[in-house]
Amino acid sequence: MNQAGRVLPVPFTEQDILLPNDKYYSDNFVILLKYKLGQDALNLYVTSLSTSTNPEVRAFYKKLSQDTAELVEKCIELMVKRGLHQPVIHIPKSDEVERAQTKKVLGKFIGEKRPLSAPEVLQIQNNFVSTEVLKEILRSFSKTETSEIREHFERGKDMCSKHLEMMQAKFEKEELPQMPTWESEVDTEGLPHFSDRLMMFKVSLMVGAIGARYGVTATATLRKDIGATFSKMMGEVVLYAEDSAALMIKNNMFDEPPLVKLNNNI
């Protein structure tokens, strides 16, 4: 970007880390957080790699994609080793491929529904972990002394808690294991550890990723009730993301991206 003469975003510095010597999150939570951030970054890097035309930019994102894939793999290995990849939900094996015979596979908005499919279980499980990680981040950030930002984080925490209950309810109805939560893995006592700008920036990225995950689930699942649930939750996340951006703009934290300027001579 320097070579292209582009203005760089305002960076974060050590001054944004207010309590550098305090341990804020447990080792287990750090692994989960890194895993989820790595997943989100990998999606972004692969998209950038496949859409860039500049060879140097493609090489840059290829390197980032490879490094991030290795990070995600290490996190998965640690999660399995430390027993964090729980619960393990077993899907019965089928001897042969079965063709859907009726529209029952699509389910209903109300009334009796077919059992969850393996992809649907995976989607709900993956979304639950992502939302739980965001909830704990918001809960830990809520110690900020800036009342308006604190209220915004608390609102996001409550939104995540409601979404987690909705996902747990899907598993409970199917008599599947309940997903674990991570309240005990995060320190919420004492003074804030990070600057408001750093916390708002991190939350805005994670909220955007959660909204994208919900959108994929809403469109990829076959059961209508699950699609409707995640569509509703996605709408709430989109509104929260918009309010996050507005709050960052209000507090002079938002770097405006480059805008397309029309040439009036054309």
Side-chain angles (χ1 to χ4, degrees), residues 5-72:
R6 299 290 184 179
V7 177
L8 297 175
V10 178
F12 293 103
T13 67
E14 293 182 358
Q15 295 180 348
D16 291 296
I17 312 298
L18 305 182
L19 298 174
N21 297 321
D22 285 6
K23 187 169 183 177
Y24 203 26
Y25 305 109
S26 71
D27 292 344
N28 286 343
F29 188 82
V30 170
I31 295 171
L32 285 170
L33 178 61
K34 289 289 185 184
Y35 171 61
K36 284 302 174 183
L37 292 177
Q39 279 187 324
D40 297 336
L42 192 57
N43 291 333
L44 177 63
Y45 295 156
V46 170
T47 300
S48 299
L49 170 63
S50 63
T51 56
S52 299
T53 57
N54 187 308
E56 292 184 12
V57 174
R58 289 202 307 275
F60 172 70
Y61 280 112
K62 183 177 181 180
K63 179 66 164 59
L64 289 182
S65 299
Q66 293 170 339
D67 291 346
T68 306
E70 292 177 4
L71 171 63
V72 169

Side-chain angles (χ1 to χ4, degrees), residues 124-143:
I124 296 174
Q125 193 173 27
N126 193 39
N127 275 291
F128 185 95
V129 176
S130 298
T131 304
E132 171 62 17
V133 169
L134 175 59
K135 187 199 77 175
E136 295 310 318
I137 289 292
L138 288 163
R139 192 168 70 91
S140 64
F141 286 178
S142 295
K143 64 172 63 177

Side-chain angles (χ1 to χ4, degrees), residues 5 7 10 34 38 60 65 72-73 78 80-81 86 107 113 116 131 168 170-171 178 219-220 231 239 244 255 257 265:
V7 177
V10 178
K34 289 289 185 184
F60 172 70
S65 299
V72 169
E73 187 174 2
L78 283 171
V80 173
K81 183 177 180 180
Q86 300 291 337
K113 305 171 182 66
L116 291 172
T131 304
Q168 290 278 39
K170 295 293 184 186
F171 277 175
Q178 293 290 282
T219 56
S231 293
L239 290 176
S244 298
D255 294 343
N265 296 325

